[in-house]
Amino acid sequence: MSDFSPFPESEQKAFLRRHHLVQAIAPYRTQLGRSLCYFGLPSARMTDIDLWKRELNQITAVERDPDVALAMLRTALSLGVRDRLVVLETDLANAARLLAADEAEVMLSLSQLPPPLAAEVQQARSVRYDIVNIDLCGGFLYPDKQGESEYEKMLRHLLAFQARQKQSFILIVTFSTRDAGRNEYRRFVSETLSFLTEPSTEAEDFRHFYLSEKRIEDQPPNLRNLRFCVPVYLTKISFDNYEVRCLSQWYYKSFFHTALFFELRQGSGPLGHWPPIDEIKNLLNTPLNRVDLEDGEIKLRELATPLLK
């Protein structure tokens, strides 16, 4: 079992874990009046689960490495959550596909899986998840040989599953800013701004901020790309079912990290909703905070970004 992780533990990551507990997870449990169901990539140490376990009921973990999956089961036993844990021993893209599949498709897929995994998938499909917590590295919109992004397909599958379950939820997601797909990001930003804004000085400043190749202090191009594209693209592909609100967004080390709340829309007509322009503008106007460790203490600083009115 390898200890390597593209998202290693750090004081900044620990701070954000505590922040989400206090600002999002515990209040959401109080709002619902019940324990929450978790889907994600907790790793062998299950540090998120350890901190959040009092707020959680069902825990579905995805891990393709069998040694890490076994270590996860041992950790869950020591944390007292083994009876709440289901481990899907597969990769995240396949797990999301199996969750989203219709009954006929999934039965065909399950017949080709080892019986223990098939049973775990069936159990995971029966849960309505309140928290989805995933770390993704490389190429959010970058197409593969078939012209599609693996992460985009995976997120579509998760959103489709959650919508079918009629479940609002918190999505916590981290991306490495050492990312691929610069041209895809620029194309998406340009197309979106053309849709959102009329020609004006303010709109031109906003466009320049996100499309400029010049270095902006503390905000490398890929950070700006991810800050724009992640929440807006997720809104674009889910707005028939969800209103998306940004709870917080952060930059630490070389990572972009955000928490989004997907709230089920009420009363959608047969033709769906028009693109929610004001909702997208609210996402883009959410403050971006930098988390640094200085002299052993966490320091927070809001990064200057233009507003879109």
Coordinates of all heavy atoms in Angstrom, one line a residue, residues 213-304:
E213 N -3.5 36.1 -19.8 CA -2.4 35.2 -19.5 C -1.4 35.8 -18.5 O -0.5 35.1 -18.1 CB -1.7 34.9 -20.9 CG -2.6 34.1 -21.8 CD -2.8 32.6 -21.3 OE1 -2.0 32.2 -20.5 OE2 -3.8 32.0 -21.8
K214 N -1.5 37.0 -18.2 CA -0.6 37.7 -17.3 C -0.8 37.2 -15.9 O -1.9 36.8 -15.5 CB -0.8 39.2 -17.3 CG -0.4 39.8 -18.7 CD -0.6 41.3 -18.6 CE -0.2 42.0 -19.9 NZ -0.4 43.5 -19.9
R215 N 0.3 37.1 -15.2 CA 0.2 36.7 -13.8 C -0.4 37.7 -12.9 O -0.1 38.9 -13.0 CB 1.6 36.3 -13.3 CG 1.6 35.8 -11.8 CD 2.9 35.3 -11.4 NE 2.9 34.8 -10.0 CZ 2.4 33.6 -9.6 NH1 1.9 32.8 -10.6 NH2 2.3 33.3 -8.4
I216 N -1.4 37.3 -12.1 CA -2.0 38.2 -11.1 C -1.6 37.7 -9.8 O -1.5 36.5 -9.5 CB -3.5 38.1 -11.3 CG1 -4.0 38.7 -12.6 CG2 -4.2 38.9 -10.1 CD1 -5.4 38.6 -12.9
E217 N -1.2 38.6 -8.9 CA -0.6 38.2 -7.6 C -1.5 37.2 -6.9 O -2.7 37.5 -6.7 CB -0.4 39.5 -6.7 CG 0.3 39.2 -5.4 CD 0.5 40.4 -4.6 OE1 0.1 41.5 -5.0 OE2 1.1 40.3 -3.5
D218 N -0.8 36.1 -6.5 CA -1.5 35.1 -5.7 C -2.6 34.3 -6.4 O -3.3 33.5 -5.8 CB -2.0 35.6 -4.4 CG -1.0 36.0 -3.4 OD1 0.1 35.4 -3.5 OD2 -1.2 37.0 -2.7
Q219 N -2.8 34.6 -7.7 CA -3.9 34.0 -8.5 C -3.4 33.5 -9.8 O -3.6 34.2 -10.8 CB -5.1 34.9 -8.6 CG -5.7 35.3 -7.2 CD -7.0 36.0 -7.4 OE1 -8.0 35.5 -7.9 NE2 -7.0 37.3 -7.0
P220 N -2.7 32.3 -9.9 CA -2.2 31.8 -11.2 C -3.4 31.5 -12.1 O -4.6 31.4 -11.7 CB -1.5 30.5 -10.8 CG -2.1 30.2 -9.5 CD -2.4 31.4 -8.8
P221 N -3.2 31.5 -13.4 CA -4.3 31.3 -14.4 C -5.1 30.1 -14.1 O -6.4 30.2 -14.2 CB -3.5 31.1 -15.7 CG -2.2 31.9 -15.5 CD -1.9 31.7 -14.1
N222 N -4.6 29.0 -13.7 CA -5.4 27.8 -13.5 C -6.3 27.9 -12.2 O -7.4 27.3 -12.1 CB -4.6 26.5 -13.4 CG -4.4 25.8 -14.7 OD1 -5.1 26.3 -15.7 ND2 -3.7 24.8 -14.8
L223 N -5.9 28.7 -11.2 CA -6.7 29.0 -10.1 C -8.0 29.8 -10.6 O -9.1 29.5 -10.2 CB -6.0 29.8 -9.0 CG -6.9 30.3 -7.9 CD1 -7.5 29.1 -7.1 CD2 -6.1 31.2 -6.9
R224 N -7.7 30.8 -11.4 CA -8.8 31.6 -11.9 C -9.7 30.7 -12.8 O -11.0 30.8 -12.8 CB -8.3 32.8 -12.7 CG -7.8 33.9 -11.9 CD -7.1 35.0 -12.7 NE -5.7 34.7 -12.9 CZ -5.0 35.1 -14.0 NH1 -5.7 35.8 -14.9 NH2 -3.7 34.8 -14.1
N225 N -9.1 29.8 -13.6 CA -9.9 28.9 -14.5 C -10.8 28.0 -13.6 O -12.0 27.9 -13.9 CB -9.0 28.0 -15.3 CG -8.2 28.7 -16.4 OD1 -8.7 29.8 -16.8 ND2 -7.1 28.2 -16.8
L226 N -10.3 27.4 -12.6 CA -11.1 26.5 -11.7 C -12.1 27.3 -10.9 O -13.3 26.8 -10.8 CB -10.1 25.7 -10.8 CG -9.3 24.7 -11.5 CD1 -8.2 24.2 -10.6 CD2 -10.1 23.5 -11.9
R227 N -11.8 28.5 -10.4 CA -12.7 29.2 -9.7 C -13.9 29.6 -10.5 O -15.1 29.6 -10.0 CB -12.0 30.5 -9.2 CG -13.0 31.4 -8.4 CD -12.3 32.7 -8.0 NE -13.1 33.5 -7.0 CZ -14.0 34.4 -7.4 NH1 -14.1 34.8 -8.6 NH2 -14.7 35.1 -6.5
F228 N -13.7 29.9 -11.8 CA -14.8 30.2 -12.7 C -15.5 29.0 -13.1 O -16.8 28.9 -13.0 CB -14.3 31.0 -13.9 CG -15.3 31.5 -14.8 CD1 -15.6 32.9 -14.8 CD2 -16.0 30.7 -15.7 CE1 -16.6 33.4 -15.6 CE2 -17.0 31.2 -16.5 CZ -17.3 32.6 -16.5
C229 N -14.8 28.0 -13.6 CA -15.4 26.9 -14.4 C -16.1 25.8 -13.5 O -17.1 25.3 -13.9 CB -14.4 26.2 -15.3 SG -13.8 27.3 -16.6
V230 N -15.5 25.6 -12.3 CA -16.1 24.5 -11.5 C -17.5 24.8 -11.1 O -18.5 24.0 -11.4 CB -15.2 24.2 -10.3 CG1 -15.9 23.2 -9.3 CG2 -13.9 23.5 -10.8
P231 N -17.8 25.9 -10.4 CA -19.2 26.1 -10.0 C -20.1 26.5 -11.1 O -21.3 26.0 -11.1 CB -19.0 27.3 -9.0 CG -17.8 28.0 -9.4 CD -16.9 27.0 -9.9
V232 N -19.6 27.2 -12.1 CA -20.5 27.6 -13.2 C -20.9 26.4 -14.1 O -22.0 26.2 -14.5 CB -19.9 28.7 -14.1 CG1 -20.7 29.0 -15.3 CG2 -19.7 30.0 -13.2
Y233 N -19.9 25.5 -14.4 CA -20.2 24.4 -15.2 C -21.1 23.4 -14.4 O -22.0 22.8 -15.1 CB -18.9 23.6 -15.5 CG -19.1 22.5 -16.6 CD1 -19.2 22.9 -17.9 CD2 -19.2 21.2 -16.2 CE1 -19.5 21.9 -18.9 CE2 -19.5 20.2 -17.1 CZ -19.6 20.6 -18.5 OH -19.9 19.6 -19.4
L234 N -20.9 23.2 -13.2 CA -21.8 22.3 -12.4 C -23.2 22.9 -12.4 O -24.2 22.1 -12.4 CB -21.2 22.1 -11.0 CG -20.0 21.3 -10.9 CD1 -19.4 21.2 -9.5 CD2 -20.2 19.9 -11.4
T235 N -23.3 24.2 -12.3 CA -24.7 24.8 -12.4 C -25.3 24.6 -13.7 O -26.5 24.2 -13.9 CB -24.6 26.3 -12.1 OG1 -24.2 26.6 -10.8 CG2 -25.9 27.0 -12.3
K236 N -24.5 24.7 -14.8 CA -25.0 24.5 -16.1 C -25.6 23.2 -16.3 O -26.6 23.0 -17.0 CB -23.9 24.8 -17.1 CG -24.2 24.6 -18.6 CD -23.1 24.7 -19.5 CE -23.5 24.4 -21.0 NZ -22.3 24.5 -21.9
I237 N -24.9 22.1 -15.8 CA -25.3 20.8 -16.1 C -26.4 20.3 -15.1 O -26.9 19.2 -15.3 CB -24.1 19.8 -16.2 CG1 -23.5 19.6 -14.8 CG2 -23.2 20.2 -17.2 CD1 -22.4 18.6 -14.8
S238 N -26.7 21.1 -14.1 CA -27.6 20.6 -13.1 C -28.8 21.5 -12.9 O -29.7 21.2 -12.0 CB -26.9 20.4 -11.7 OG -26.5 21.7 -11.2
F239 N -28.9 22.7 -13.6 CA -29.9 23.7 -13.2 C -31.4 23.2 -13.4 O -32.3 23.8 -12.8 CB -29.6 25.0 -13.9 CG -29.9 25.1 -15.4 CD1 -31.1 25.1 -15.9 CD2 -28.8 25.1 -16.2 CE1 -31.3 25.1 -17.3 CE2 -29.0 25.2 -17.6 CZ -30.3 25.2 -18.1
D240 N -31.6 22.2 -14.2 CA -33.0 21.7 -14.3 C -33.5 21.1 -13.0 O -34.6 21.2 -12.6 CB -33.1 20.6 -15.4 CG -33.4 21.2 -16.7 OD1 -33.8 22.4 -16.8 OD2 -33.3 20.5 -17.7
N241 N -32.5 20.6 -12.2 CA -32.9 19.9 -10.9 C -32.5 20.7 -9.7 O -33.1 20.5 -8.6 CB -32.2 18.5 -10.9 CG -32.7 17.6 -12.0 OD1 -33.9 17.3 -12.1 ND2 -31.8 17.1 -12.8
Y242 N -31.4 21.5 -9.8 CA -30.8 22.1 -8.6 C -30.6 23.6 -8.7 O -30.2 24.0 -9.8 CB -29.5 21.4 -8.3 CG -29.6 20.0 -7.8 CD1 -29.2 18.9 -8.6 CD2 -30.0 19.7 -6.5 CE1 -29.3 17.6 -8.1 CE2 -30.1 18.4 -6.0 CZ -29.8 17.4 -6.8 OH -29.9 16.1 -6.3
E243 N -30.7 24.3 -7.6 CA -30.2 25.6 -7.5 C -28.8 25.4 -6.7 O -28.8 24.8 -5.7 CB -31.1 26.5 -6.7 CG -30.5 27.9 -6.5 CD -31.4 28.8 -5.6 OE1 -32.6 28.5 -5.5 OE2 -30.9 29.8 -5.1
V244 N -27.8 26.0 -7.3 CA -26.4 25.8 -6.7 C -26.0 27.1 -6.0 O -26.0 28.1 -6.6 CB -25.4 25.4 -7.8 CG1 -24.0 25.1 -7.1 CG2 -25.9 24.2 -8.5
R245 N -25.6 26.9 -4.7 CA -25.1 28.1 -4.0 C -23.6 27.7 -3.5 O -23.4 26.6 -3.1 CB -25.9 28.4 -2.8 CG -27.4 28.7 -3.1 CD -28.0 29.4 -1.9 NE -27.9 28.7 -0.7 CZ -28.7 27.8 -0.2 NH1 -29.8 27.5 -1.0 NH2 -28.6 27.2 0.9
C246 N -22.8 28.7 -3.6 CA -21.4 28.5 -3.1 C -21.3 28.8 -1.6 O -21.6 29.9 -1.2 CB -20.4 29.4 -3.9 SG -18.7 29.0 -3.6
L247 N -21.0 27.8 -0.8 CA -20.9 28.0 0.6 C -19.5 28.7 1.0 O -19.5 29.5 1.9 CB -21.0 26.7 1.3 CG -22.3 25.9 1.1 CD1 -22.3 24.6 1.9 CD2 -23.5 26.8 1.5
S248 N -18.5 28.3 0.2 CA -17.2 28.9 0.5 C -16.2 28.4 -0.6 O -16.5 27.3 -1.2 CB -16.6 28.5 1.9 OG -16.5 27.1 2.0
Q249 N -15.2 29.2 -0.9 CA -14.1 28.7 -1.8 C -12.8 29.2 -1.3 O -12.7 30.3 -0.8 CB -14.4 29.1 -3.2 CG -14.7 30.6 -3.5 CD -15.1 30.8 -4.9 OE1 -15.1 29.9 -5.7 NE2 -15.3 32.1 -5.2
W250 N -11.8 28.3 -1.5 CA -10.5 28.5 -0.9 C -9.3 28.2 -1.8 O -9.5 27.3 -2.7 CB -10.4 27.6 0.4 CG -11.5 27.7 1.3 CD1 -12.7 27.1 1.2 CD2 -11.6 28.6 2.4 NE1 -13.6 27.4 2.2 CE2 -12.9 28.4 3.0 CE3 -10.8 29.5 3.1 CZ2 -13.3 29.0 4.1 CZ3 -11.2 30.1 4.2 CH2 -12.5 29.9 4.7
Y251 N -8.2 28.8 -1.6 CA -7.0 28.5 -2.3 C -5.9 28.2 -1.2 O -5.7 29.1 -0.3 CB -6.6 29.6 -3.2 CG -5.2 29.5 -3.9 CD1 -4.9 28.3 -4.5 CD2 -4.4 30.6 -3.9 CE1 -3.6 28.2 -5.2 CE2 -3.1 30.5 -4.6 CZ -2.8 29.3 -5.2 OH -1.6 29.2 -5.9
Y252 N -5.3 27.0 -1.3 CA -4.2 26.7 -0.3 C -3.1 25.9 -1.0 O -3.5 25.1 -1.9 CB -4.7 26.0 0.9 CG -5.1 24.6 0.8 CD1 -4.2 23.6 1.1 CD2 -6.4 24.3 0.3 CE1 -4.6 22.2 0.9 CE2 -6.8 23.0 0.2 CZ -5.9 21.9 0.5 OH -6.3 20.6 0.3
K253 N -1.9 26.2 -0.7 CA -0.8 25.5 -1.4 C -1.0 25.6 -2.9 O -1.0 26.7 -3.5 CB -0.6 24.1 -0.9 CG -0.2 24.0 0.5 CD 0.3 22.7 0.9 CE 1.0 22.7 2.3 NZ 1.5 21.4 2.7
S254 N -1.2 24.5 -3.6 CA -1.5 24.5 -5.0 C -2.9 23.9 -5.3 O -3.1 23.3 -6.4 CB -0.4 23.7 -5.8 OG -0.4 22.3 -5.4
F255 N -3.8 24.1 -4.4 CA -5.2 23.5 -4.6 C -6.3 24.5 -4.5 O -6.2 25.5 -3.8 CB -5.4 22.5 -3.4 CG -4.3 21.4 -3.4 CD1 -3.4 21.4 -2.3 CD2 -4.2 20.5 -4.4 CE1 -2.5 20.4 -2.2 CE2 -3.2 19.5 -4.3 CZ -2.3 19.5 -3.2
F256 N -7.3 24.3 -5.4 CA -8.5 25.0 -5.3 C -9.6 24.2 -4.6 O -9.7 23.0 -5.0 CB -9.0 25.4 -6.7 CG -10.4 26.0 -6.7 CD1 -10.7 27.2 -6.2 CD2 -11.5 25.2 -7.2 CE1 -12.0 27.8 -6.2 CE2 -12.8 25.7 -7.2 CZ -13.0 27.0 -6.7
H257 N -10.3 24.7 -3.6 CA -11.2 23.9 -2.8 C -12.5 24.7 -2.6 O -12.4 25.9 -2.3 CB -10.5 23.7 -1.4 CG -11.3 23.0 -0.4 ND1 -11.3 21.6 -0.3 CD2 -12.2 23.4 0.5 CE1 -12.1 21.2 0.7 NE2 -12.6 22.3 1.2
T258 N -13.6 24.0 -2.9 CA -14.9 24.7 -2.7 C -15.9 23.8 -2.1 O -15.8 22.6 -2.2 CB -15.3 25.3 -4.1 OG1 -16.5 26.1 -3.9 CG2 -15.7 24.1 -5.0
A259 N -16.9 24.4 -1.5 CA -18.1 23.7 -1.0 C -19.3 24.3 -1.6 O -19.5 25.6 -1.5 CB -18.2 23.8 0.6
L260 N -20.1 23.5 -2.3 CA -21.3 24.0 -3.0 C -22.5 23.3 -2.4 O -22.4 22.1 -2.1 CB -21.2 23.7 -4.5 CG -20.0 24.3 -5.2 CD1 -19.8 23.7 -6.6 CD2 -20.1 25.8 -5.3
F261 N -23.6 24.0 -2.3 CA -24.9 23.4 -1.8 C -25.8 23.3 -3.0 O -26.1 24.3 -3.7 CB -25.5 24.2 -0.7 CG -26.7 23.5 -0.1 CD1 -26.6 22.3 0.5 CD2 -28.0 24.0 -0.3 CE1 -27.7 21.7 1.1 CE2 -29.1 23.4 0.2 CZ -29.0 22.2 0.9
F262 N -26.2 22.0 -3.3 CA -27.2 21.7 -4.4 C -28.5 21.6 -3.8 O -28.8 20.5 -3.1 CB -26.7 20.5 -5.1 CG -25.5 20.7 -6.0 CD1 -24.3 20.8 -5.4 CD2 -25.6 20.7 -7.4 CE1 -23.1 21.0 -6.2 CE2 -24.5 20.9 -8.2 CZ -23.3 21.0 -7.6
E263 N -29.4 22.5 -4.0 CA -30.8 22.5 -3.4 C -31.8 22.1 -4.5 O -31.8 22.8 -5.5 CB -31.1 23.8 -2.7 CG -32.5 23.8 -2.1 CD -32.7 25.0 -1.3 OE1 -32.0 26.0 -1.4 OE2 -33.7 25.0 -0.5
L264 N -32.6 21.1 -4.2 CA -33.6 20.7 -5.2 C -34.5 21.9 -5.6 O -35.0 22.6 -4.7 CB -34.4 19.6 -4.7 CG -33.8 18.2 -4.8 CD1 -34.7 17.2 -4.0 CD2 -33.6 17.7 -6.2
R265 N -34.7 22.0 -6.9 CA -35.7 23.0 -7.3 C -37.1 22.5 -7.1 O -37.3 21.3 -7.2 CB -35.4 23.3 -8.8 CG -34.2 24.1 -9.1 CD -34.1 24.6 -10.5 NE -32.9 25.2 -10.9 CZ -32.5 26.4 -10.6 NH1 -33.4 27.2 -10.0 NH2 -31.3 26.9 -10.9
Q266 N -38.0 23.4 -6.9 CA -39.4 23.0 -6.7 C -40.2 23.4 -7.9 O -40.0 24.5 -8.5 CB -39.9 23.7 -5.4 CG -39.2 23.5 -4.2 CD -39.2 22.0 -3.8 OE1 -40.2 21.3 -3.9 NE2 -38.0 21.5 -3.3
G267 N -41.0 22.5 -8.3 CA -42.0 22.8 -9.4 C -41.4 23.0 -10.7 O -41.9 23.9 -11.5
S268 N -40.4 22.3 -11.2 CA -39.9 22.4 -12.5 C -40.9 22.0 -13.5 O -41.5 20.9 -13.4 CB -38.6 21.6 -12.7 OG -38.1 21.7 -14.0
G269 N -41.1 22.8 -14.6 CA -42.1 22.4 -15.6 C -41.5 21.4 -16.6 O -40.3 21.1 -16.5
P270 N -42.3 20.9 -17.5 CA -41.9 19.9 -18.5 C -40.7 20.4 -19.4 O -40.0 19.6 -19.9 CB -43.1 19.5 -19.3 CG -44.0 20.7 -19.1 CD -43.7 21.2 -17.7
L271 N -40.6 21.7 -19.6 CA -39.6 22.2 -20.5 C -38.4 22.6 -19.7 O -37.4 23.2 -20.2 CB -40.1 23.4 -21.3 CG -41.3 23.1 -22.2 CD1 -41.7 24.3 -23.0 CD2 -40.9 22.0 -23.2
G272 N -38.4 22.4 -18.3 CA -37.2 22.8 -17.5 C -37.1 24.3 -17.2 O -38.1 25.0 -17.5
H273 N -36.0 24.7 -16.7 CA -35.8 26.1 -16.4 C -34.9 26.8 -17.4 O -34.1 26.2 -18.1 CB -35.0 26.2 -15.0 CG -35.9 25.7 -13.9 ND1 -36.8 26.5 -13.2 CD2 -36.0 24.5 -13.2 CE1 -37.4 25.8 -12.2 NE2 -36.9 24.6 -12.2
W274 N -35.0 28.1 -17.5 CA -34.1 28.9 -18.2 C -32.8 28.9 -17.5 O -32.8 28.8 -16.2 CB -34.6 30.3 -18.4 CG -35.7 30.4 -19.4 CD1 -37.1 30.5 -19.1 CD2 -35.6 30.3 -20.8 NE1 -37.8 30.5 -20.3 CE2 -37.0 30.4 -21.4 CE3 -34.6 30.2 -21.7 CZ2 -37.2 30.3 -22.7 CZ3 -34.8 30.1 -23.1 CH2 -36.2 30.2 -23.6
P275 N -31.6 29.1 -18.1 CA -30.3 29.2 -17.4 C -30.4 30.3 -16.4 O -30.8 31.5 -16.6 CB -29.4 29.6 -18.5 CG -30.0 29.0 -19.8 CD -31.5 29.2 -19.6
P276 N -30.0 30.0 -15.1 CA -30.2 30.9 -14.0 C -29.1 32.0 -13.9 O -28.1 31.8 -13.2 CB -30.1 30.0 -12.8 CG -29.2 28.9 -13.3 CD -29.5 28.7 -14.7
I277 N -29.2 33.1 -14.7 CA -28.2 34.1 -14.8 C -27.8 34.7 -13.5 O -26.6 34.8 -13.1 CB -28.6 35.2 -15.8 CG1 -28.7 34.6 -17.2 CG2 -27.6 36.3 -15.8 CD1 -29.2 35.6 -18.3
D278 N -28.8 35.1 -12.7 CA -28.4 35.7 -11.4 C -27.7 34.7 -10.5 O -26.8 35.0 -9.7 CB -29.7 36.2 -10.7 CG -30.2 37.4 -11.4 OD1 -29.5 38.1 -12.1 OD2 -31.4 37.7 -11.2
E279 N -28.1 33.4 -10.5 CA -27.5 32.4 -9.7 C -26.0 32.2 -10.1 O -25.1 32.1 -9.2 CB -28.2 31.1 -9.8 CG -29.6 31.1 -9.2 CD -30.4 29.8 -9.5 OE1 -29.7 28.8 -9.7 OE2 -31.6 29.9 -9.5
I280 N -25.7 32.3 -11.4 CA -24.4 32.1 -11.9 C -23.5 33.4 -11.4 O -22.4 33.2 -11.0 CB -24.3 32.0 -13.4 CG1 -24.9 30.6 -13.8 CG2 -22.9 32.1 -13.9 CD1 -25.1 30.4 -15.3
K281 N -24.1 34.5 -11.5 CA -23.4 35.7 -11.1 C -23.1 35.7 -9.6 O -22.0 36.1 -9.1 CB -24.2 37.0 -11.4 CG -24.3 37.3 -12.9 CD -25.1 38.6 -13.1 CE -25.1 38.9 -14.6 NZ -25.8 40.2 -14.9
N282 N -24.0 35.2 -8.8 CA -23.8 35.0 -7.4 C -22.6 34.1 -7.1 O -21.8 34.3 -6.2 CB -25.1 34.5 -6.6 CG -26.1 35.6 -6.6 OD1 -25.9 36.8 -6.7 ND2 -27.4 35.2 -6.4
L283 N -22.6 33.0 -7.9 CA -21.4 32.1 -7.7 C -20.1 32.7 -8.0 O -19.1 32.6 -7.2 CB -21.6 30.9 -8.7 CG -22.7 29.8 -8.3 CD1 -22.8 28.9 -9.5 CD2 -22.4 29.1 -7.1
L284 N -20.1 33.5 -9.1 CA -18.8 34.2 -9.5 C -18.4 35.3 -8.5 O -17.3 35.7 -8.5 CB -19.0 34.7 -10.9 CG -19.1 33.6 -12.0 CD1 -19.4 34.3 -13.3 CD2 -17.8 32.8 -12.0
N285 N -19.4 35.8 -7.8 CA -19.1 36.9 -6.8 C -18.8 36.4 -5.4 O -18.6 37.2 -4.5 CB -20.3 37.9 -6.8 CG -20.4 38.7 -8.1 OD1 -19.5 38.9 -8.8 ND2 -21.6 39.2 -8.3
T286 N -18.8 35.1 -5.2 CA -18.4 34.6 -3.9 C -16.9 34.9 -3.6 O -16.1 34.7 -4.5 CB -18.6 33.0 -3.9 OG1 -20.0 32.7 -4.2 CG2 -18.3 32.4 -2.5
P287 N -16.6 35.3 -2.4 CA -15.2 35.6 -2.1 C -14.4 34.4 -2.2 O -14.8 33.3 -1.9 CB -15.3 36.1 -0.6 CG -16.7 36.6 -0.5 CD -17.6 35.7 -1.3
L288 N -13.1 34.6 -2.6 CA -12.1 33.5 -2.6 C -11.1 33.8 -1.5 O -10.5 34.9 -1.5 CB -11.4 33.5 -4.0 CG -10.2 32.5 -4.1 CD1 -10.7 31.1 -3.9 CD2 -9.6 32.7 -5.5
N289 N -10.9 32.9 -0.6 CA -10.0 33.1 0.5 C -8.7 32.2 0.4 O -8.8 31.1 0.0 CB -10.7 32.8 1.8 CG -11.8 33.7 2.1 OD1 -11.6 34.9 2.4 ND2 -13.0 33.3 2.0
R290 N -7.6 32.8 0.7 CA -6.3 32.0 0.7 C -6.1 31.6 2.1 O -6.2 32.4 3.1 CB -5.2 32.9 0.2 CG -3.9 32.2 0.3 CD -2.8 32.7 -0.7 NE -1.6 31.9 -0.6 CZ -0.7 31.8 -1.5 NH1 -0.9 32.5 -2.7 NH2 0.4 31.1 -1.4
V291 N -5.6 30.3 2.3 CA -5.3 29.8 3.6 C -3.8 29.5 3.6 O -3.3 28.7 2.8 CB -6.1 28.4 3.8 CG1 -5.9 28.0 5.3 CG2 -7.6 28.6 3.5
D292 N -3.1 30.1 4.5 CA -1.6 29.9 4.6 C -1.3 29.5 6.0 O -2.1 29.8 7.0 CB -0.9 31.2 4.3 CG -0.9 31.5 2.8 OD1 -0.6 30.6 2.0 OD2 -1.2 32.7 2.4
L293 N -0.2 28.9 6.2 CA 0.4 28.5 7.5 C 1.6 29.4 7.7 O 2.6 29.3 7.0 CB 0.8 27.1 7.5 CG 1.2 26.5 8.9 CD1 0.1 26.6 9.9 CD2 1.8 25.1 8.7
E294 N 1.6 30.3 8.7 CA 2.7 31.2 9.0 C 3.0 31.1 10.5 O 2.2 31.3 11.3 CB 2.3 32.7 8.7 CG 1.9 32.9 7.2 CD 1.5 34.3 6.9 OE1 1.6 35.2 7.9 OE2 1.1 34.6 5.8
D295 N 4.3 30.7 10.7 CA 4.8 30.6 12.1 C 3.9 29.6 12.9 O 3.6 29.9 14.1 CB 4.9 31.9 12.8 CG 5.8 32.9 12.1 OD1 6.9 32.4 11.6 OD2 5.5 34.1 12.0
G296 N 3.4 28.6 12.2 CA 2.6 27.6 12.9 C 1.2 27.9 13.1 O 0.4 27.2 13.7
E297 N 0.7 29.1 12.5 CA -0.7 29.5 12.7 C -1.3 29.7 11.3 O -0.7 30.1 10.4 CB -0.7 30.8 13.5 CG -0.3 30.7 14.9 CD -0.5 32.0 15.6 OE1 -1.1 33.0 15.0 OE2 -0.2 32.1 16.8
I298 N -2.6 29.3 11.3 CA -3.4 29.5 10.0 C -3.7 31.0 9.9 O -4.2 31.7 10.8 CB -4.7 28.7 10.1 CG1 -4.4 27.2 10.0 CG2 -5.7 29.1 9.0 CD1 -3.9 26.7 8.7
K299 N -3.4 31.5 8.7 CA -3.7 32.9 8.3 C -4.7 32.9 7.1 O -4.4 32.2 6.1 CB -2.4 33.6 8.0 CG -1.4 33.7 9.1 CD -1.9 34.5 10.3 CE -0.8 34.7 11.3 NZ -1.3 35.4 12.5
L300 N -5.7 33.7 7.2 CA -6.7 33.8 6.1 C -6.6 35.1 5.5 O -6.5 36.1 6.2 CB -8.1 33.5 6.6 CG -8.4 32.2 7.4 CD1 -9.8 32.2 7.8 CD2 -8.0 31.0 6.6
R301 N -6.7 35.1 4.1 CA -6.7 36.4 3.4 C -7.6 36.3 2.2 O -7.5 35.4 1.4 CB -5.3 36.7 3.0 CG -5.1 38.0 2.2 CD -3.7 38.4 2.2 NE -2.8 37.3 1.7 CZ -2.4 37.1 0.5 NH1 -2.9 37.9 -0.5 NH2 -1.6 36.1 0.2
E302 N -8.5 37.3 2.1 CA -9.4 37.3 0.9 C -8.6 37.8 -0.3 O -8.0 38.9 -0.2 CB -10.6 38.2 1.2 CG -11.6 38.2 0.0 CD -12.9 38.9 0.3 OE1 -13.3 39.0 1.5 OE2 -13.5 39.4 -0.7
L303 N -8.7 37.1 -1.4 CA -8.0 37.5 -2.6 C -8.9 38.5 -3.4 O -10.2 38.2 -3.6 CB -7.7 36.3 -3.5 CG -6.7 35.3 -2.8 CD1 -6.4 34.2 -3.7 CD2 -5.4 36.0 -2.3
A304 N -8.4 39.5 -4.0 CA -9.1 40.5 -4.7 C -9.6 39.9 -6.1 O -8.7 39.4 -6.8 CB -8.3 41.8 -4.9

